[in-house]
Amino acid sequence: MLKNNYYIAISCLILSTANMVAQTLSLDTVLTNIKTNNPQLKMYDADIQSMDAAAKGAKSWMAPQVETGFFMTPYNTKMWKASEMSPGMGSYMVGVTQMIPNARKLKSDFNYMNAMSSVEKENKEYTINQLKALAKTNYYQWLVLNKKIKIADDNLLLLGYMIKSMEIRYQYNMDKLPTYYKAKSQYGALESMIVMLQNDISQKRIMLNTLMARDKNTSFEIDLTYKLNDFYAIKTDTTSLSQNRSDVKAIEKTMVLNQLKIETEKAKLLPEFGVKYDHMFAFGEQPKQFSLMGMITIPMPWSTKMNKANINSFKIKNEGLNWQKQMILNEAAGMISGMNTELINLKKQYDIAEKNIIPALKRNYDTAILSWQNNTGDLFVVLDAWEALNMAQIDALDKLQNILSTQVEIEKQLEIK
């Protein structure tokens, strides 16, 4: 029995330890969670479903109109009854009227309402693209922050080693106090920097949890792998952009919607028909009677002014939307071209820093600390060499951050799926 309890306790301990390990989410997983759970996107889904549901009733007819009452009935009730001189007068009428809408009008209304959700679908895709870009930006900023913390932790170890060495060497008058205090201040500055970087990471975690519609305090880590993309082969002409960008597609769908609205306004200029049937229950000895009439609405110049004005208004709106589309495409093509040039230059600077500047400063630092350890160099020179190396490493990571941010912005403008 004790043995079984021992195994149960060990199993519970293992499970609790496993649950304490923070989950690692890749960028693709984060983007998938956003697309699935973000409330803003669910709002679009509800709007789209609402519009599609409303379109199902576009071909409905007007409700029939039922009427009842006295028809050609004298006020003198004595005259209602039959007598030797009269068969009676008046009757009680029940009637129904049904308007029959024009088939072309019904079809144009259906086409318009059925196409309304197409604009919202493109607006949803545009929002997805914006949310993905925001998530990528925060994800890559977190990635660079992790790299900066790694460098800061390594530098803390180096400074800690130097400070301990100085404390020993000072006892033998081999180092100076100003150098010691300078190293201590840099150690404190690094500790403060790490606290600041950790706070920035917490902010990024909260932002990503918010985008994924999760508990804001849910702990997770990110995958530190990343890929630098090239955009040389991607076409950035206005034709290619119009095929990819959902905001441009939304404008095009709005133009189609306006054209369908024009068709519905034109359909209102067509005549509509109706049928009216009345049945009379005659008083006295009069025979039962009925009335059956057909009706037609005749659009006249004074009754169609609003429809013609609406048609002209939608034509002007489409002209404005077309210019808006051209403006967006022109600005996007210019932005992509400029950012692509900036991305090329940032990559060159980053390569120079990684392959030339940082290795040279690393060798300079190694040489300086070796001289200091052999009592042939000064610790001030070591600290200056370390400071130059540290600044170069941070500057390189800042360039990497700019590269990733520019890459995300280009992908957002191209709307790469």
Side-chain angles (χ1 to χ4, degrees):
M1 184 67 181
L2 292 174
K3 188 175 182 180
N4 290 337
N5 291 338
Y6 173 77
Y7 285 134
I8 292 173
I10 292 296
S11 300
C12 292
L13 181 61
I14 293 173
L15 288 173
S16 62
T17 304
N19 291 331
M20 292 173 62
V21 176
Q23 184 183 14
T24 299
L25 298 181
S26 66
L27 179 58
D28 288 339
T29 302
V30 171
L31 297 180
T32 300
N33 287 340
I34 291 173
K35 192 172 181 179
T36 304
N37 302 323
N38 189 274
Q40 190 174 0
L41 302 180
K42 290 183 180 293
M43 178 187 70
Y44 278 109
D45 289 334
D47 288 342
I48 292 168
Q49 292 173 11
S50 172
M51 292 176 183
D52 289 340
K56 294 178 181 179
K59 289 187 177 182
S60 60
W61 289 17
M62 291 180 61
Q65 180 179 341
V66 178
E67 51 196 28
T68 185
F70 293 98
F71 177 74
M72 297 183 68
T73 305
Y75 284 102
N76 189 350
T77 57
K78 294 180 179 180
M79 299 176 66
W80 296 6
K81 298 179 180 180
S83 65
E84 295 178 356
M85 302 295 297
S86 171
M89 296 179 65
S91 59
Y92 187 82
M93 183 185 72
V94 176
V96 60
T97 302
Q98 176 65 62
M99 294 301 297
I100 304 172
N102 189 292
R104 182 178 167 186
K105 180 178 181 296
L106 289 178
K107 185 178 179 181
S108 61
D109 285 343
F110 174 77
N111 290 339
Y112 172 73
M113 294 187 69
N114 198 45
M116 286 178 64
S117 63
S118 63
V119 178
E120 285 302 294
K121 289 175 182 176
E122 297 302 333
N123 287 334
K124 177 187 174 183
E125 291 300 319
Y126 175 79
T127 303
I128 289 174
N129 185 53
Q130 299 295 313
L131 293 175
K132 284 172 61 178
L134 181 59
K136 286 180 182 178
T137 300
N138 281 274
Y139 195 94
Y140 287 141
Q141 287 175 349
W142 185 347
L143 185 148
V144 173
L145 288 169
N146 273 340
K147 290 181 176 293
K148 287 184 177 180
I149 288 179
K150 176 65 169 58
I151 291 174
D153 286 337
D154 292 342
N155 286 332
L156 276 181
L157 293 176
L158 292 174
L159 284 176
Y161 162 73
M162 283 189 277
I163 290 170
K164 289 180 180 178
S165 298
M166 280 187 284
E167 290 172 349
I168 296 172
R169 294 161 68 93
Y170 180 73
Q171 297 176 3
Y172 301 97
N173 296 321
M174 296 175 68
D175 265 322
K176 301 176 182 178
L177 277 177
T179 310
Y180 173 78
Y181 290 126
K182 181 180 180 180
K184 291 283 285 186
S185 67
Q186 289 176 331
Y187 190 92
L190 269 179
E191 288 182 318
S192 177
M193 176 182 173
I194 290 174
V195 171
M196 180 187 69
L197 294 174
Q198 289 173 340
N199 175 68
D200 290 342
I201 287 177
S202 298
Q203 298 301 320
K204 305 305 173 188
R205 183 183 290 110
I206 291 172
M207 174 59 73
L208 290 175
N209 276 326
T210 302
L211 292 173
M212 291 186 287
R214 307 198 312 176
D215 183 1
K216 309 306 175 288
N217 296 319
T218 301
S219 180
F220 70 96
E221 297 297 330
I222 62 170
D223 187 357
L224 297 182
T225 58
Y226 62 93
K227 181 181 178 183
L228 300 182
N229 298 325
D230 293 321
F231 302 95
Y232 310 114
I234 297 178
K235 294 182 179 179
T236 57
D237 57 284
T238 55
T239 303
S240 300
L241 286 174
S242 63
Q243 294 174 351
N244 294 330
R245 288 185 59 118
S246 51
D247 55 345
V248 173
K249 289 181 181 179
I251 291 175
E252 292 174 344
K253 293 293 175 66
T254 304
M255 293 172 68
V256 172
L257 206 60
N258 286 342
Q259 188 60 43
L260 291 173
K261 189 62 177 175
I262 290 174
E263 296 300 320
T264 62
E265 292 293 333
K266 287 181 178 179
K268 292 178 183 178
L269 301 176
L270 298 174
E272 288 190 334
F273 302 91
V275 177
K276 179 177 174 62
Y277 172 76
D278 297 317
H279 178 76
M280 276 70 74
F281 298 93
F283 296 149
E285 295 178 355
Q286 294 183 93
K288 295 180 180 180
Q289 302 177 31
F290 75 94
S291 172
L292 180 61
M293 292 184 291
M295 296 175 289
I296 182 172
T297 60
I298 303 175
M300 301 301 288
W302 58 82
S303 66
T304 58
K305 287 183 178 180
M306 180 179 292
N307 305 112
K308 292 178 179 178
N310 288 338
I311 290 172
N312 190 43
S313 172
F314 285 117
K315 287 180 179 179
I316 296 172
K317 283 182 179 180
N318 272 0
E319 184 178 348
L321 288 171
N322 187 54
W323 285 115
Q324 182 183 358
K325 171 186 169 183
Q326 298 302 322
M327 177 193 71
I328 291 174
L329 292 174
N330 183 56
E331 289 182 354
M335 288 178 63
I336 292 170
S337 179
M339 288 188 295
N340 202 16
T341 302
E342 181 183 4
L343 183 63
I344 293 171
N345 291 327
L346 284 171
K347 284 183 177 180
K348 289 179 179 178
Q349 294 176 37
Y350 181 69
D351 287 340
I352 292 172
E354 286 290 309
K355 296 177 182 178
N356 297 328
I357 297 176
I358 293 177
L361 290 174
K362 182 68 169 60
R363 288 192 291 270
N364 177 55
Y365 167 77
D366 291 339
T367 303
I369 199 168
L370 184 61
S371 299
W372 173 66
Q373 288 173 338
N374 293 329
N375 298 323
T376 58
D378 194 285
L379 188 59
F380 265 114
V381 177
V382 176
L383 291 177
D384 288 342
W386 167 83
E387 191 171 5
L389 175 61
N390 182 53
M391 291 178 62
Q393 290 173 325
I394 297 300
D395 184 62
L397 289 178
D398 288 337
K399 286 184 171 60
L400 176 60
Q401 178 64 72
N402 291 334
I403 290 171
L404 293 172
S405 297
T406 305
Q407 179 174 297
V408 169
E409 187 62 30
I410 293 176
E411 290 174 349
K412 184 175 78 170
Q413 293 296 325
L414 292 171
E415 199 159 332
I416 297 174
K417 304 299 182 182

